[in-house]
Amino acid sequence: MEVKTTYGEELSWNSNTNYALGLYKTLGRALGIWPLKYFDIFSYIRVAFIAIIQLWMSIDLTQQLLIKGNCGDVTELVDVLSLITCGILTATKVIILKIYEHNVYVIVNSAVEDWTKVMDKKSRRIMFKYAKIGRTVFIIQMIGAYAAGFPLIFARLPFITALWDDRTNTNMIIRQVPIGPSCWISPDLSAYNYAICYIVQSIQLFIVCTGYIGSDTYFFGIAMHVCGQFELLHMRIENLDKIKDNVSQRREIIKFSKRHKHLLTLADNFEQTFNIIILAQVGADTILICISGNLFYYVNYLLSEDSWINFELLTGKN
């Protein structure tokens, strides 16, 4: 099979390549971070759109939280803080992946070449093992992300009733939005503006589910392929003692050294691309856990204080 090696063009794909990388290709194109098409202007437009709409969501929720405060349950406040963090991280991830697109291109291009050139059954079996792990994690994580996001959209769809009965029953209908407590929605908000707000938040929530989890599974799946290549390299060095001819053995050592250097380059590209993303992820999760813990502790403290006050009132103690 002839392989195109022109920079920026995709290599020839076979059924094995589609099995191993097809899901990441679909996701990467949707997010604008698929590196084999990174001269495409539309990929920059998609990345800019995702970054803008996610930062818009985070800024808007922060503004609502500061102005209107938390008038709902503590769980709704934690959800808002989580989505603020996820929106910022989603924008950060797609921007960084776009900035370091050349590094990701080298990794993905190497993966396509590996699937094109693999011949023996044992090597193909090892590569399929790691590809299956990546696909399984990708599917489970994406299903989990949408299972958590879509109920927030569809469970609050009674806004349709408010649209048709806006003039007569607006005050009787509790308007809800996918993100944030219902008390943030002004009763004076027109049905048209409310519908726009609901649709925009639904789009933001869908994108954060796709971009936040999708970029992680995208990284994990491609990393699994590199792990498989290291295992194949280890298998090659184990078979080195089976070669009796010194010339052939020397030739095999040279191939091993070149392949090892290539895989170290891929690992270094991974480190350069994802170290900032991992740092931001860990830092944001740590801060969010601390804030959530303090909020629940504060609420439990208030509840215990209220219970003690009610006990004093009932018993007549001062």
Side-chain angles (χ1 to χ4, degrees), residues 156 158-159 162-163 165-167 169-177 180-195 198:
R156 303 183 179 184
F159 84 101
L163 291 178
D165 297 331
D166 185 65
R167 295 184 179 180
N169 297 327
T170 300
N171 296 328
M172 300 176 59
I173 298 174
I174 299 177
R175 291 181 170 182
Q176 293 180 315
V177 286
S182 58
C183 53
W184 284 6
I185 304 299
S186 173
D188 299 327
L189 190 66
S190 66
Y192 178 76
N193 291 332
Y194 172 60
Y198 199 101

Side-chain angles (χ1 to χ4, degrees), residues 267-281:
D268 185 62
N269 287 344
F270 260 114
E271 192 274 335
Q272 291 179 5
T273 304
F274 290 95
N275 60 353
I276 300 177
I277 295 177
I278 295 173
L279 176 62
Q281 183 83 57

Side-chain angles (χ1 to χ4, degrees), residues 47-78:
V47 168
F49 172 76
I50 292 172
I52 290 172
I53 201 167
Q54 290 302 291
L55 292 176
W56 176 18
M57 179 189 72
S58 298
I59 294 172
D60 180 64
L61 291 177
T62 303
Q63 184 181 11
Q64 296 273 10
L65 186 61
L66 293 176
I67 295 176
K68 300 179 181 179
N70 179 44
C71 51
D73 299 332
V74 65
T75 54
E76 291 177 328
L77 177 59
V78 174

Side-chain angles (χ1 to χ4, degrees), residues 34-48:
W34 184 245
L36 299 185
K37 287 288 185 181
Y38 80 80
F39 284 120
D40 184 10
I41 187 63
F42 294 105
S43 65
Y44 288 93
I45 295 175
R46 286 193 290 271
V47 168

Side-chain angles (χ1 to χ4, degrees), residues 28-183:
R29 284 185 168 179
L31 297 176
I33 56 175
W34 184 245
L36 299 185
K37 287 288 185 181
Y38 80 80
F39 284 120
D40 184 10
I41 187 63
F42 294 105
S43 65
Y44 288 93
I45 295 175
R46 286 193 290 271
V47 168
F49 172 76
I50 292 172
I52 290 172
I53 201 167
Q54 290 302 291
L55 292 176
W56 176 18
M57 179 189 72
S58 298
I59 294 172
D60 180 64
L61 291 177
T62 303
Q63 184 181 11
Q64 296 273 10
L65 186 61
L66 293 176
I67 295 176
K68 300 179 181 179
N70 179 44
C71 51
D73 299 332
V74 65
T75 54
E76 291 177 328
L77 177 59
V78 174
D79 289 341
V80 170
L81 292 174
S82 301
L83 287 171
I84 291 173
T85 304
C86 291
I88 296 173
L89 286 176
T90 301
T92 302
K93 289 177 181 180
V94 295
I95 291 174
I96 290 177
L97 287 173
K98 199 64 181 175
I99 292 175
Y100 289 95
E101 197 168 27
H102 173 68
N103 291 350
V104 185
Y105 169 83
V106 174
I107 300 169
V108 176
N109 191 67
S110 176
V112 176
E113 286 184 349
D114 295 336
W115 280 106
T116 303
K117 296 178 181 179
V118 62
M119 299 298 294
D120 60 291
K121 294 182 179 179
K122 187 175 183 180
S123 298
R124 186 180 293 107
R125 185 169 61 251
I126 293 175
M127 291 172 65
F128 265 108
K129 179 183 72 173
Y130 284 93
K132 185 177 180 179
I133 295 174
R135 283 176 61 90
T136 303
V137 172
F138 180 93
I139 293 172
I140 292 175
Q141 289 291 325
M142 295 307 297
I143 291 176
Y146 291 132
F150 282 139
L152 295 176
I153 298 174
F154 294 108
R156 303 183 179 184
L157 278 177
F159 84 101
I160 297 177
T161 306
L163 291 178
W164 294 109
D165 297 331
D166 185 65
R167 295 184 179 180
T168 58
N169 297 327
T170 300
N171 296 328
M172 300 176 59
I173 298 174
I174 299 177
R175 291 181 170 182
Q176 293 180 315
V177 286
I179 307 173
S182 58
C183 53

